[in-house]
Amino acid sequence: ADLQSRVGREQSAIFDAQALMLRDPALLGAALRMIEGQRIDAAGALALVGEQQAAALEALDDPLIAARAVDVRDAISRAIQHLGGKTARRQDVGELDHPVILVARELTPSDTAQLRPATILGICTTQGGATSHSAILARALSIPALAGLDEAALSVIHSGDLLGLDAERGLLYHLPSPGVRQQLTQRIEVQRQERSTRVAAAQQGQGPVVIGARRILLLANIGSEAEAESARQWGAEGIGLLRTEFLFASASTLPDEEEQRRRYTGVFRAFLGDSHDARRQDLPFVVRTLDAGADKPMPSLASVIGETVEANPQLGVRGIRIHLAHRQLLEQQLGALLRAAAETGINLHIMLPMITTVEELNAARAIFER
């Protein structure tokens, strides 16, 4: 959920896949049989069975599928830490306070998800490839990455050494000369200028879409502050849908009205930009209130709505039906949205999910008006 707020829903779905791996009946069944038959603890059984599954994947001829062995080991290792009641202390690369190029034998997806472009300028690994989930996440985070480095490099390169990374050409410079450093610095500046030019062209060259006599707005669907900024940079004419689930899914406890206001304000300002262009304030910004339910379990909501299992979540207690059963949820969310809109001047539109009757709409409207 934290990753989704930075790079979007598509890339963060990698961890949905890892969660499914941990619910695999074959994995769990084999671990339980090992616990019962060999009388070993849960963490040990899961480690053995997980490694068997990872090794089986790794042996496949298809490199894309074989690369998923890293995901199995990543998910299993984190589950084992919970089962053991303690976590192995590893350096948290998300806490670095100065810029570095990270050199490692391998980075798991959960390692890569911690990376911040402000401090991790590039990553180099001896294992992995362009189709690994770590590489996909690095691209989404705009962090240059190089895989397949010679294993001997790990014994030559030491922490604190000066490095130059040219990921486009597949080159890593150890203790680069002043000439190489100048060349790489110039190329970085050229790339920045080229990107700025592309963004400016997208914003200026985009003419209105007209079909017959009707103007068609090109709107962006977003789920994070990062996606709101991308929508602005690439010339979106408004937001067609902000999914507010990102805020609730990323919290272990229910965010109160003030926390929601702060997060919505951040998303609104990301779309408006630093200049707060008055023309952008006129563009529509559609926000959908929380669409949660049995098919979208969220830990932060469990204390309010409880745990439910429904045969058909589409017809069960979800969307507006949760709001009207627990009205404080809707009151807090609408209050936070209205305050954030007043603070930023955004042209706010509110969408209510899963409306099925006039009575539901009237009840929600009454809360909004109050």
Side-chain angles (χ1 to χ4, degrees):
D2 170 69
L3 187 67
Q4 180 177 322
S5 71
R6 292 187 285 137
V7 301
R9 186 169 187 157
E10 182 178 352
Q11 312 304 345
S12 61
I14 287 169
F15 295 100
D16 291 331
Q18 286 196 1
L20 289 173
M21 291 175 181
L22 292 174
R23 289 198 284 270
D24 178 10
L27 174 80
L28 297 176
L32 290 171
R33 287 191 296 273
M34 189 170 287
I35 292 169
E36 185 177 6
Q38 300 183 28
R39 297 293 190 266
I40 62 176
D41 67 310
L46 188 60
L48 288 169
V49 174
E51 183 53 35
Q52 290 171 1
Q53 283 205 357
L57 282 173
E58 213 164 34
L60 296 176
D61 292 333
D62 186 333
L64 186 65
I65 303 300
R68 299 292 83 83
V70 176
D71 291 270
V72 173
R73 292 189 176 107
D74 189 18
I76 292 292
S77 69
R78 283 182 286 134
I80 288 170
Q81 288 171 359
H82 289 292
L83 286 171
K86 60 181 180 180
T87 58
R89 176 60 184 162
R90 303 179 62 183
Q91 181 174 357
D92 186 353
V93 292
E95 295 177 355
L96 288 170
D97 58 0
H98 59 281
V100 299
I101 292 175
L102 190 62
V103 181
R105 179 166 284 105
E106 184 176 64
L107 286 178
T108 66
S110 59
D111 288 330
T112 312
Q114 297 180 53
L115 304 184
R116 297 294 190 272
T119 52
I120 307 298
L121 304 185
I123 58 177
C124 304
T125 60
T126 61
Q127 299 181 23
T131 59
S132 72
H133 279 161
S134 291
I136 292 169
L137 289 174
R139 279 195 293 273
L141 292 165
S142 298
I143 297 175
L146 177 64
L149 196 65
D150 191 308
E151 191 81 15
L154 297 178
S155 60
V156 175
I157 299 171
H158 303 287
S159 183
D161 285 357
L162 187 66
L163 298 177
L165 173 60
D166 184 348
E168 285 186 348
R169 297 174 181 172
L171 297 172
L172 178 66
Y173 297 93
H174 184 220
L175 307 177
S177 66
V180 170
R181 293 168 59 184
Q182 182 180 10
Q183 181 187 48
L184 293 177
T185 302
Q186 288 174 345
R187 285 179 56 202
I188 289 172
E189 185 56 35
V190 168
Q191 288 181 348
R192 285 175 179 160
Q193 292 176 359
E194 288 176 346
R195 189 180 190 282
S196 297
T197 301
R198 289 197 302 271
V199 170
Q203 293 173 341
Q204 296 173 5
Q206 179 180 297
V209 177
V210 179
I211 299 178
R214 298 189 65 184
R215 167 77 187 278
I216 308 297
L217 293 179
L218 298 177
L219 311 179
N221 284 7
I222 64 173
S224 68
E225 190 171 321
E227 290 180 350
E229 185 169 345
S230 292
R232 172 182 57 78
Q233 288 181 342
W234 294 103
E237 298 173 280
I239 300 300
L241 175 65
L242 168 64
R243 308 175 190 90
T244 57
E245 291 81 56
F246 83 95
L247 191 153
F248 293 85
S250 61
S252 57
T253 58
L254 199 64
D256 60 18
E257 182 174 323
E258 177 56 27
E259 170 64 10
Q260 291 186 54
R261 180 205 63 78
R262 186 181 64 80
R263 297 288 295 276
Y264 298 143
T265 298
V267 176
F268 294 168
R269 283 181 172 155
F271 180 68
L272 292 173
D274 295 333
S275 61
H276 270 241
D277 188 341
R279 291 172 300 179
R280 290 204 156 272
Q281 290 182 318
D282 293 333
L283 299 176
F285 197 113
V286 182
V287 179
R288 184 178 68 194
T289 57
L290 179 63
D291 183 17
D295 69 328
K296 296 179 183 177
M298 296 183 186
S300 63
L301 289 176
S303 61
V304 177
I305 66 176
E307 300 288 348
T308 60
V309 178
E310 298 177 296
N312 187 345
Q314 299 290 344
L315 300 177
V317 182
R318 63 168 294 181
I320 195 65
R321 297 189 282 281
I322 286 181
H323 278 148
L324 295 181
H326 307 278
R327 298 194 176 205
Q328 76 276 16
L329 292 176
L330 185 58
E331 289 172 354
Q332 285 186 349
Q333 189 165 28
L334 290 177
L337 285 169
L338 291 170
R339 290 169 59 201
E343 185 175 336
T344 59
I346 204 82
N347 180 11
L348 178 66
H349 297 245
I350 295 177
M351 178 191 294
L352 301 169
M354 306 299 289
I355 291 284
T356 54
T357 68
V358 172
E359 288 75 17
E360 288 173 341
L361 181 58
N362 287 339
R365 184 82 197 197
I367 295 173
F368 171 82
E369 295 291 356
R370 183 171 71 252

